[in-house]
Amino acid sequence: MVRMDTSLGEIRIEMFADQAPKTVDNFLTYVRDGFYDGTIFHRVIPGFVIQGGGFTEDFDRKSTRDPIRNEADNGLDNERGTLSMARTSDPNSATSQFFVNLSDNKPLDQGPGNAGYAVFGRVVAGMEVIDKIAALPTGAAGPFRQDAPQETALIESAEVIEP
């Protein structure tokens, strides 16, 4: 379990270590290293996702560890409240960035001809905080021409806790 304190409230996240062991290990390593402390949710697409875990408040990209193998074939679906790893068009390019699904996003699931996005956790408390972040006005900020919150949604700290 991970507790994430944000500028808009607390979020608690259950990890799916049995279904996505490498992805959970990767995420928890970033949490334990304090990597997410002081990062922002830099992308908000209402009804779709909020994304964070890679940029500081000044929109400086943080240095990450090597990418991990995509575990989207784990049987978990990108449903509202689940967390998945963000990546480039290369399915095995996920590093630190993650997103929270704001709705059931079937097109992000692994399937024939679709590598999918690896679900590795679920918000078990604080979904109202996720929805507050999703409701922030968006526009251009930092290197982003759109979808960046116009009010900072800061991850103040993240820590592993007992369930």
Side-chain angles (χ1 to χ4, degrees), residues 2-13 40-41 43-44 49-51 80-81 83 98 100-102 123-137 149 151-157:
V2 169
R3 186 179 86 204
M4 196 171 278
D5 290 317
T6 78
S7 54
L8 295 171
E10 181 184 298
I11 303 163
R12 289 188 182 237
I13 306 160
I40 59 171
F41 286 96
R43 184 175 183 218
V44 170
V49 300
I50 64 168
Q51 183 174 326
R80 176 171 164 77
L83 276 75
F98 62 92
V100 180
N101 287 290
L102 299 174
V123 174
V124 294
M127 200 60 198
E128 70 282 356
V129 175
I130 300 297
D131 290 335
K132 278 187 211 173
I133 296 168
L136 294 173
E151 176 185 321
T152 301
L154 180 70
I155 298 172
E156 296 168 345
S157 65

Side-chain angles (χ1 to χ4, degrees), residues 49-108:
V49 300
I50 64 168
Q51 183 174 326
F55 292 87
T56 67
E57 281 186 84
D58 296 327
F59 288 95
D60 291 329
R61 183 184 295 269
K62 292 188 75 170
S63 295
T64 63
R65 292 191 318 280
D66 290 339
I68 59 170
R69 185 182 70 75
N70 187 351
E71 292 182 305
D73 60 351
N74 61 19
L76 299 172
D77 293 331
N78 282 276
E79 298 171 339
R80 176 171 164 77
T82 58
L83 276 75
S84 290
M85 293 306 296
R87 58 171 177 78
T88 67
S89 58
D90 175 354
N92 299 306
S93 62
T95 56
S96 66
Q97 291 187 39
F98 62 92
F99 60 88
V100 180
N101 287 290
L102 299 174
S103 61
D104 293 350
N105 289 317
K106 205 89 178 118
L108 301 181

Side-chain angles (χ1 to χ4, degrees), residues 1-4 10-17 24 27-28 31-32 120-126 158-163:
M1 183 86 68
V2 169
R3 186 179 86 204
M4 196 171 278
E10 181 184 298
I11 303 163
R12 289 188 182 237
I13 306 160
E14 171 187 20
M15 298 285 107
F16 299 138
V24 167
F27 184 77
L28 292 179
V31 169
R32 288 184 183 108
F120 67 94
R122 174 180 56 213
V123 174
V124 294
E159 66 177 324
V160 178
I161 61 170
E162 291 301 314

